[in-house]
C-alpha cells in the first residue's frame, strides 16, 4: 500500500489539473473530494456543474433534452476549463468516450482512470437513482457489457490506471500519487 505523500511532495507531483475518468461507480467523486481534503485541490464535479448550469438534474436533462444534448454540455464544460489551476475534475462516466474531450484533458493535465470490477460497480450503484443509463439495468450482465464496450476508450485516454476495489479513498489517493510519480520518473529517465 502507498502512504499518502506529504503536502509538499504532493504539490510537486500534482502540478497540473487532474482528471478522474472511469465507469459509473468507480469512485471518481469520492476520490476527488479526498484529493481536495488531503492536498487542497479545487474540485470540479462535472455532473454537478452541468446540473447547476442547466438548472435541472442529469436525469431531467436525459429525459427532456436527450443524451446527445448532455454530451454537448460535457464537451462545452471540459473544453473551457481554465488551464493550470490545479483542479481535480471528477468526470462523468462517459466523458472519456469523446476524443475531443480527451484531447482537452490531455492539454491541461493528467488523466487518471479509476477502475473497478463489475461486481464492485454493481454494489456501488445499486441504490443510486441518478444514473439514467443504468435505470432498469442494474444487473451484472448489463454492466459487464457496457464496461467491455467502454474499456478501450478509458485505456487509450489514461496516463495511469488505479484499481479501487476494496480500498478506501485515502489508499486510492496514495496509489494515484505513487503512480503519477513513477510515471514522471520514467519519463525523466527517458530524457
Ligand atoms: C454517465 C455517467 C454519469 C453521468 C451520466 C452519464 C455515463 O456520471 O455523467 O449519467 O455515460 O457513464 P457518473 O460516472 O459520475 O455516475
Amino acid at each position: 500500500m502507498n502512504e499518502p505523500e506529504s503536502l509538499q511532495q504532493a504539490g510537486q507531483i500534482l502540478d497540473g489539473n487532474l482528471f478522474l475518468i472511469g465507469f459509473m461507480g468507480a469512485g471518481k467523486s469520492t476520490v476527488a473530494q479526498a484529493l481536495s481534503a488531503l492536498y487542497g485541490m479545487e474540485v470540479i464535479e462535472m455532473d454537478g456543474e452541468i446540473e447547476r448550469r442547466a438548472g435541472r438534474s442529469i436525469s431531467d436533462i436525459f429525459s427532456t433534452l436527450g443524451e446527445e444534448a448532455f454530451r454537448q454540455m460535457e464537451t462545452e464544460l471540459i473544453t473551457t476549463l481554465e488551464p493550470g489551476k490545479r483542479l481535480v475534475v471528477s468526470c462523468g462516466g462517459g466523458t472519456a468516450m469523446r476524443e475531443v474531450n480527451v484531447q482537452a484533458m490531455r492539454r491541461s493535465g493528467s488523466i487518471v482512470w479509476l477502475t473497478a470490477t463489475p461486481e464492485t460497480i454493481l454494489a456501488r450503484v445499486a441504490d443510486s437513482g441518478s444514473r439514467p443509463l443504468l435505470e432498469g439495468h442494474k444487473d451484472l450482465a448489463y454492466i459487464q457489457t457496457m464496461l467491455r464496450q467502454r474499456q478501450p476508450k478509458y485505456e487509450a485516454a489514461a496516463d495511469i490506471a488505479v484499481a479501487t476495489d476494496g480500498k478506501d479513498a485515502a489508499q486510492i489517493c496514495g496509489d494515484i500519487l505513487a503512480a503519477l510519480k513513477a510515471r514522471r520518473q520514467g519519463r525523466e529517465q527517458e530524457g
Side-chain angles (χ1 to χ4, degrees), residues 58-116:
I58 300 294
S59 300
D60 229 34
I61 296 171
F62 268 72
S63 63
T64 57
L65 305 175
E67 180 171 350
E68 191 51 32
F70 172 75
R71 298 300 172 200
Q72 275 308 117
M73 291 177 194
E74 276 190 307
T75 296
E76 169 67 24
L77 174 57
I78 199 121
T79 56
T80 55
L81 285 177
E82 270 187 67
K85 273 195 72 180
R86 264 187 99 234
L87 303 169
V88 54
V89 183
S90 172
C91 295
T95 309
M97 298 302 109
R98 276 195 176 183
E99 188 54 27
V100 61
N101 298 346
V102 175
Q103 292 306 329
M105 293 190 246
R106 202 159 274 149
R107 277 196 301 273
S108 78
S110 305
I111 306 177
V112 178
W113 174 25
L114 297 182
T115 71

Side-chain angles (χ1 to χ4, degrees), residues 22-24 28 47 58 62 70-71 74 91-94 130-133 150:
F23 203 78
M24 293 169 269
K28 303 177 296 282
D47 284 349
I58 300 294
F62 268 72
F70 172 75
R71 298 300 172 200
E74 276 190 307
C91 295
S130 60
R131 292 187 166 105
L133 293 180
R150 287 185 166 192

